[in-house]
Amino acid sequence: MGWGDLGAFGEPSKETPNLDQMAAEGMLFLDFYTASPLCSPSRAALLTGRLPVRNGFYTTNGHARNAYTPQDVVGGIPDSELLLPELLKKAGYTNKIIGKWHLGHQPQFHPLRHGFDEWLGSPNCHFGPYDSRERPNIPVYRDWEMIGRYYEDFKIDLKTGEANLTQLYLQEALDFISKQQASQQPFFLYWAIDATHAPVYASKQFLGTSQRGLYGDAVREIDDSVGKILKHLQQLGISENTFVFFTSDNGAALISAPKQGGSNGPFLCGKQTTFEGGMREPAIAWWPGHIPAGGVSHQLGSVMDLFSTSLSLAGLQPPSDRQIDGIDLLPVILQGKLIDRPIFYYRGNELMAARAGLYKAHYWTWSNSWEEHSKGIDFCPGQSVAGVTTHTQEEHTNLPLLFHLGRDPGEKYPLSFASEEYQQAVEHISGLVQQHKATLVPGQPQLNVCDQAVMNWSPPGCEKLGKCLKAPESDPKKCSWPH
Amino acid sequence: MGWGDLGAFGEPSKETPNLDQMAAEGMLFLDFYTASPLCSPSRAALLTGRLPVRNGFYTTNGHARNAYTPQDVVGGIPDSELLLPELLKKAGYTNKIIGKWHLGHQPQFHPLRHGFDEWLGSPNCHFGPYDSRERPNIPVYRDWEMIGRYYEDFKIDLKTGEANLTQLYLQEALDFISKQQASQQPFFLYWAIDATHAPVYASKQFLGTSQRGLYGDAVREIDDSVGKILKHLQQLGISENTFVFFTSDNGAALISAPKQGGSNGPFLCGKQTTFEGGMREPAIAWWPGHIPAGGVSHQLGSVMDLFSTSLSLAGLQPPSDRQIDGIDLLPVILQGKLIDRPIFYYRGNELMAARAGLYKAHYWTWSNSWEEHSKGIDFCPGQSVAGVTTHTQEEHTNLPLLFHLGRDPGEKYPLSFASEEYQQAVEHISGLVQQHKATLVPGQPQLNVCDQAVMNWSPPGCEKLGKCLKAPESDPKKCSWPH
């Protein structure tokens, strides 16, 4: 989902009354970022509070390449990483993930081995259907074991876009919350629904209800579900004791537009890029009785801050034996403070850009290669800014491209290198970057090796279902990451 | 000002708390249009309820050219046109215009000859400063006579952007409203401020207050002023008896970006074009006690509707001896109805596009000529959609380019000519266009002839001020309209 997909963020169809209401009752973040322009690294960052380059969710197979966890990837979240649910356990929290995990699908990466107590969802994206020979369909897990596979047992109709998964995930969320309330046990719910990820889907009752087509139907169903979850918290009388945050893991995937792609509002490009359209996210904090209604914040925020903020809410300290990139947003949320901190825009192993205040400096620019572009893969459809949306990787380390995101949110007008404004801003940002790089200890890259043998052939529980498939011979290779 | 310039419409700096509040208390129109992608024709349409091609605010000097009323234009609003204030007079209204008139500056076009009772403002844009030889500075009028000239008596500092005109216009508005309330006389106030028109300006107290630079400062001052006007109505106890509508006359002028140009949100291109960025406008209706708070409408609306709606509010019938293009929006505003009606996108003498429902058909596409574009004049900076943002005038009459504005508000993905959806939608829209064209009686074009002798050399009142200038010999020529 992109920054521009909610009514509160200016989507012209304005079809998200529940999320808009959530913002009206809570705090809207206008300058909130993901830690990577695509899914797996972004989610790993959210749960570890650390940049993907630290927690291993990147590749060194190529320079500045986007990598994630397809079925044949060998890596996943390392045991050495401390995930938010692992830490929350110490404070008595029950932790549940509903939906897409995406931090690796081999047994050692299972979410219940990394702090979660319960799971309903899948380890990978819901691509498919597959033929079970070249590639198995993605399993859906309940806790430790699979309970079926997408397309086989969990239908997604690619023709109509119909799938009832969001309803399934909604019901699971409501039940979990009820159970926790009944037992008076604190909980952390990571509701990681994925209806707006291609192939986009919606339940029958939402199909055709949006002005925006199937993508809008999916957004409407998510909006409706968020409304039901918030209402449930209120009806159970625990809304003033439950902190809720809504955000996304990357900008709208414009390659899937117009049928399956969303909106990044006035920003440049989309998912896969380190322009604002790829990494600035819709974000809303909600906590009635604590967050003043109708708040708006320009705090530079990050999904990684949800790690630190959640720990703070639970009265826990962040780990002191490692670098945590997230910050505690409670002073921002509860007292309206603004914390000075930069945003780093990584693409794979490269720091492409950095933002401090309203200035953003690009050290590298790249949309995608000419080769990919000529195949019709376009991360910036209808947009082209000379020297900015480049189709070769352009280095600007010595003379970064500088934008003022207040005057120029669309990153169209680089500041003159000769201006005093440029010199002051670049000096400041480059100082922060230098400091960051000097202390950076990159993690072991997890997304380098792919092997057809590691695919979801025989996930735990497959025997009971008669759904075990025979894995092919192991044939480890470098994963191919063209973007 | 563009669709995307208000916080309520998704401007990322969200710096318009008063307009956002106005929307929260009133009704937000998301599909509201001007009648022309630039100033004079749009304003003529607003005040006559008629398309510029009917009321004469267009040129036939070239095909599909944007024309307005610079100082040397000979034409203006014809006497045969009935303006909103002329009609409102019959119901006892006192009518005032504050700010830019732009319907002609020769004596016969003076606003007080066309229904207005009072005026503080100028007949033309605040371009300048001029040297009084080649071109006089633009006069500022109080009622029938000038009281000074821009740059000479009404300072605009082009270096700092400082000018206190919005404050002057605000105070005048507050005073007028007070006076009308005191005398219990109904009033129509046309508050036509122009701080966001290049050269953009703001008062000292607003300079440097916006994240968006000078343009944002101007928007903030307008926002603050609107807040003060609404508060004034409330304090006088007449807010429930006063209908207020906020809108703009064209999309943000992207040629002036980033320093002096605003935002059209997710839409394509800007001022001067018939893409959504050129003609879709921010629009808010406010009438406490009558309009339900927080309303949102997808009614296809037009500035011309303000003519018909105002007449309806005053209990008057629209003229029956001529075609009125505006419709009465009261059923929409008060009862939430949706009225089926098309939007026609004119550029000069050509119907470039038409919208019905969510479909928009382009019969002609043109951004500007290669010749102009090569001079750096770009109405679509950073945007380029092959076959859509064309630099030659491309006719598509036989096979219009069709967009679905719900799925594709950015006009990037023309529908396939072969699809059933295309055929049905085009048949419907083209039927409406045919009907429209069949009955259209174009008015005498007013913007064809220019003459240096008609400039504001010696406006009425200049003698008292010692500000009469000698007009050069008359030398009528065809006006040059390159866009």
Side-chain angles (χ1 to χ4, degrees):
Chain A
M1 195 181 271
W3 190 93
D5 273 325
L6 309 190
F9 288 83
E11 203 292 314
S13 299
K14 210 171 173 61
E15 294 180 330
T16 53
N18 296 287
L19 287 162
D20 296 358
Q21 180 67 21
M22 182 183 176
E25 293 170 10
M27 180 172 272
L28 194 68
F29 283 83
L30 293 161
D31 299 76
F32 198 88
Y33 291 88
T34 180
S36 168
L38 82 168
C39 43
S40 291
S42 169
R43 286 154 193 251
L46 184 156
L47 289 172
T48 61
R50 283 151 59 80
L51 285 165
V53 71
R54 294 193 213 273
N55 65 34
F57 265 70
Y58 71 107
T59 182
T60 51
N61 287 2
H63 176 249
R65 300 299 171 104
N66 291 319
Y68 67 107
T69 53
Q71 284 208 71
D72 57 350
V73 81
V74 172
I77 191 72
D79 275 340
S80 56
E81 289 298 316
L82 281 171
L83 269 63
L84 176 59
E86 293 182 76
L87 296 165
L88 289 175
K89 251 184 188 169
K90 297 179 188 162
Y93 279 72
T94 304
N95 306 299
K96 177 154 193 157
I97 166 172
I98 297 176
K100 188 163 87 170
W101 166 240
H102 232 203
L103 303 195
H105 56 283
Q106 295 214 70
Q108 65 271 34
F109 307 127
H110 192 288
L112 272 58
R113 289 198 52 164
H114 292 268
F116 284 102
D117 301 295
E118 302 180 19
W119 182 23
L120 176 69
S122 60
N124 311 82
C125 283
H126 55 278
F127 294 132
Y130 301 117
D131 64 358
S132 304
R133 292 180 190 192
E134 282 286 307
R135 201 172 282 268
N137 277 312
I138 303 297
V140 174
Y141 280 74
R142 176 171 291 285
D143 302 330
W144 289 106
E145 296 189 348
M146 75 178 274
I147 52 172
R149 295 184 191 267
Y150 281 138
Y151 298 94
E152 299 168 17
D153 312 287
F154 296 86
K155 293 279 156 43
I156 301 171
D157 187 327
L158 294 183
K159 219 164 169 180
T160 64
E162 184 181 342
N164 73 345
L165 294 165
T166 303
Q167 291 305 310
L168 187 72
Y169 295 151
L170 168 61
Q171 195 53 53
E172 186 77 9
L174 299 177
D175 291 348
F176 174 68
I177 293 168
S178 297
K179 187 187 72 177
Q180 292 306 116
Q181 190 272 338
S183 61
Q184 297 285 300
Q185 291 297 314
F187 67 92
F188 164 52
L189 171 60
Y190 177 39
W191 198 61
I193 36 83
D194 64 354
T196 50
H197 192 297
V200 168
Y201 61 78
S203 299
K204 194 164 188 180
Q205 66 193 99
F206 288 94
L207 281 182
T209 62
S210 168
Q211 289 193 359
R212 305 179 65 199
L214 180 58
Y215 184 89
D217 297 340
V219 171
R220 278 175 64 90
E221 187 167 12
I222 290 171
D223 174 73
D224 183 77
S225 301
V226 171
K228 290 202 166 101
I229 290 173
L230 299 185
K231 201 175 162 196
H232 193 59
L233 293 172
Q234 286 170 322
Q235 286 173 341
L236 292 176
I238 57 172
S239 62
E240 300 204 355
N241 202 22
T242 309
F243 179 82
V244 186
F245 203 93
F246 179 88
T247 191
S248 174
D249 62 344
N250 47 240
L254 302 182
I255 37 161
S256 308
K259 284 210 175 150
Q260 312 222 349
S263 167
N264 298 314
F267 298 123
L268 189 62
C269 303
K271 179 175 176 178
Q272 310 278 0
T273 77
T274 48
F275 302 111
E276 291 298 288
M279 292 184 63
R280 209 194 286 208
E281 305 302 330
I284 305 169
W286 186 88
W287 191 16
H290 301 268
I291 303 176
V296 171
S297 180
H298 284 291
Q299 172 65 44
L300 303 197
S302 164
V303 292
M304 298 181 291
D305 301 344
L306 300 179
F307 174 89
S308 304
T309 305
S310 299
L311 291 180
S312 175
L313 283 163
L316 297 169
Q317 292 295 321
S320 56
D321 63 341
R322 62 195 69 203
Q323 183 67 43
I324 301 294
D325 297 289
I327 62 171
D328 178 4
L329 291 178
L330 287 189
V332 175
I333 292 170
L334 301 180
Q335 296 143 44
K337 292 199 176 162
L338 278 178
I339 300 166
D340 191 22
R341 68 94 70 93
I343 294 293
F344 297 117
Y345 302 70
Y346 270 90
R347 182 164 175 167
N349 60 348
E350 186 59 81
L351 177 69
M352 305 287 284
R355 174 178 176 181
L358 287 165
Y359 293 100
K360 178 176 178 183
H362 288 266
Y363 298 92
W364 286 86
T365 52
W366 194 37
S367 57
N368 64 351
S369 69
W370 283 117
E371 193 189 341
E372 291 286 302
H373 191 67
S374 69
K375 291 184 206 159
I377 297 172
D378 190 348
F379 299 146
C380 315
Q383 297 180 314
S384 174
V385 182
V388 179
T389 55
T390 58
H391 288 290
T392 47
Q393 295 190 350
E394 299 287 336
E395 183 166 11
H396 310 277
T397 305
N398 292 327
L399 220 51
L401 288 183
L402 185 74
F403 295 95
H404 185 282
L405 294 178
R407 301 195 298 266
D408 177 24
E411 293 167 284
K412 293 193 177 92
Y413 306 96
L415 268 73
S416 163
F417 299 134
S419 68
E420 201 180 321
E421 186 183 6
Y422 176 91
Q423 285 163 16
Q424 283 184 2
V426 164
E427 190 177 353
H428 176 58
I429 299 181
S430 291
L432 296 168
V433 166
Q434 221 163 0
Q435 202 179 327
H436 167 70
K437 287 194 166 176
T439 59
L440 180 75
V441 183
Q444 192 68 26
Q446 294 293 317
L447 310 177
N448 280 354
V449 183
C450 286
D451 185 346
Q452 56 181 14
V454 307
M455 293 202 264
N456 298 287
W457 301 106
S458 294
C462 68
E463 302 86 353
K464 289 184 212 165
L465 300 171
K467 283 200 167 276
C468 302
L469 298 169
K470 194 175 163 347
E473 296 269 297
S474 175
D475 179 20
K477 292 179 186 167
K478 270 191 170 185
C479 305
S480 159
W481 305 117
H483 310 128
Chain B
M1 196 181 271
W3 191 94
D5 273 326
L6 309 190
F9 288 84
E11 203 292 314
S13 299
K14 209 169 174 62
E15 294 180 331
T16 54
N18 295 286
L19 287 162
D20 296 357
Q21 180 66 18
M22 181 183 177
E25 292 170 11
M27 180 173 270
L28 194 69
F29 283 83
L30 293 161
D31 300 76
F32 198 87
Y33 291 87
T34 181
S36 168
L38 82 168
C39 42
S40 292
S42 169
R43 285 154 194 252
L46 184 155
L47 289 171
T48 62
R50 284 151 58 80
L51 285 165
V53 72
R54 295 193 212 272
N55 66 33
F57 265 70
Y58 71 106
T59 183
T60 53
N61 286 2
H63 177 250
R65 300 299 172 105
N66 291 319
Y68 67 107
T69 54
Q71 283 207 71
D72 57 350
V73 82
V74 171
I77 191 74
D79 276 340
S80 56
E81 290 298 316
L82 281 172
L83 270 62
L84 176 59
E86 292 182 78
L87 296 164
L88 289 176
K89 251 184 184 165
K90 296 178 188 163
Y93 279 72
T94 304
N95 306 299
K96 177 154 194 158
I97 166 172
I98 298 175
K100 188 163 89 171
W101 167 240
H102 233 203
L103 302 195
H105 57 283
Q106 295 214 69
Q108 64 272 33
F109 307 126
H110 192 289
L112 272 60
R113 288 198 52 165
H114 291 269
F116 283 102
D117 300 295
E118 302 180 18
W119 183 23
L120 176 69
S122 60
N124 311 82
C125 284
H126 55 278
F127 294 134
Y130 300 119
D131 65 358
S132 305
R133 295 180 185 191
E134 283 286 308
R135 201 171 281 268
N137 277 314
I138 303 298
V140 175
Y141 280 75
R142 176 170 289 287
D143 302 332
W144 288 105
E145 297 188 346
M146 74 178 276
I147 52 171
R149 293 184 191 268
Y150 281 137
Y151 298 95
E152 299 168 17
D153 312 288
F154 295 86
K155 294 280 155 47
I156 301 170
D157 186 327
L158 294 184
K159 219 165 170 180
T160 64
E162 184 180 342
N164 73 343
L165 294 164
T166 303
Q167 291 305 310
L168 187 72
Y169 294 151
L170 168 62
Q171 195 53 54
E172 187 76 8
L174 299 177
D175 291 348
F176 173 68
I177 293 168
S178 295
K179 188 186 74 178
Q180 293 305 117
Q181 190 272 340
S183 62
Q184 297 284 301
Q185 291 298 312
F187 67 91
F188 164 52
L189 171 59
Y190 177 38
W191 197 61
I193 35 87
D194 64 354
T196 50
H197 191 297
V200 169
Y201 60 78
S203 299
K204 193 165 189 179
Q205 66 194 101
F206 287 94
L207 282 181
T209 62
S210 167
Q211 289 193 358
R212 305 179 65 199
L214 180 57
Y215 184 89
D217 297 340
V219 172
R220 277 176 64 91
E221 187 167 10
I222 290 171
D223 174 73
D224 183 79
S225 301
V226 170
K228 291 201 166 101
I229 290 172
L230 299 185
K231 200 173 163 196
H232 193 57
L233 293 171
Q234 284 169 322
Q235 284 173 341
L236 292 176
I238 56 172
S239 62
E240 298 204 357
N241 203 23
T242 308
F243 179 82
V244 186
F245 203 93
F246 179 89
T247 190
S248 173
D249 62 345
N250 46 242
L254 301 183
I255 36 163
S256 308
K259 284 209 175 149
Q260 312 222 348
S263 167
N264 298 313
F267 298 124
L268 189 61
C269 302
K271 180 174 174 179
Q272 309 279 359
T273 78
T274 48
F275 302 110
E276 292 299 288
M279 293 185 61
R280 208 193 286 207
E281 305 302 331
I284 305 168
W286 186 87
W287 192 14
H290 301 268
I291 304 177
V296 171
S297 181
H298 285 290
Q299 172 65 43
L300 303 197
S302 162
V303 293
M304 298 182 291
D305 301 343
L306 300 179
F307 175 89
S308 304
T309 305
S310 298
L311 291 179
S312 176
L313 283 164
L316 297 169
Q317 293 294 320
S320 56
D321 63 341
R322 64 196 66 203
Q323 182 67 43
I324 301 294
D325 298 290
I327 62 170
D328 178 3
L329 291 178
L330 287 189
V332 176
I333 292 169
L334 300 180
Q335 295 142 45
K337 292 200 174 161
L338 278 179
I339 300 166
D340 191 21
R341 68 94 71 92
I343 294 293
F344 296 118
Y345 302 70
Y346 270 91
R347 183 164 174 167
N349 61 348
E350 186 60 80
L351 178 69
M352 306 286 285
R355 174 178 175 180
L358 286 166
Y359 293 99
K360 179 175 178 183
H362 289 266
Y363 298 91
W364 286 87
T365 51
W366 194 37
S367 56
N368 64 351
S369 68
W370 282 116
E371 193 187 343
E372 291 286 302
H373 191 68
S374 69
K375 291 183 205 159
I377 297 171
D378 190 347
F379 299 146
C380 316
Q383 296 179 314
S384 174
V385 183
V388 180
T389 55
T390 57
H391 288 289
T392 49
Q393 294 190 352
E394 299 288 336
E395 184 167 9
H396 310 277
T397 306
N398 292 329
L399 219 50
L401 287 184
L402 185 74
F403 294 94
H404 185 282
L405 295 178
R407 302 195 297 265
D408 177 24
E411 293 166 284
K412 293 193 178 93
Y413 306 95
L415 267 73
S416 162
F417 299 135
S419 68
E420 201 180 320
E421 185 183 7
Y422 176 91
Q423 285 163 15
Q424 285 186 0
V426 164
E427 190 178 355
H428 176 57
I429 299 181
S430 292
L432 296 169
V433 166
Q434 220 163 3
Q435 201 179 328
H436 168 69
K437 287 194 166 175
T439 58
L440 180 76
V441 183
Q444 192 66 28
Q446 294 294 316
L447 310 178
N448 280 353
V449 183
C450 287
D451 185 346
Q452 56 182 16
V454 308
M455 291 201 264
N456 298 287
W457 302 106
S458 295
C462 69
E463 303 85 354
K464 288 185 210 163
L465 300 172
K467 285 200 165 275
C468 302
L469 298 168
K470 195 174 166 338
E473 297 267 298
S474 175
D475 180 19
K477 291 178 188 168
K478 271 193 170 183
C479 305
S480 160
W481 304 117
H483 310 129

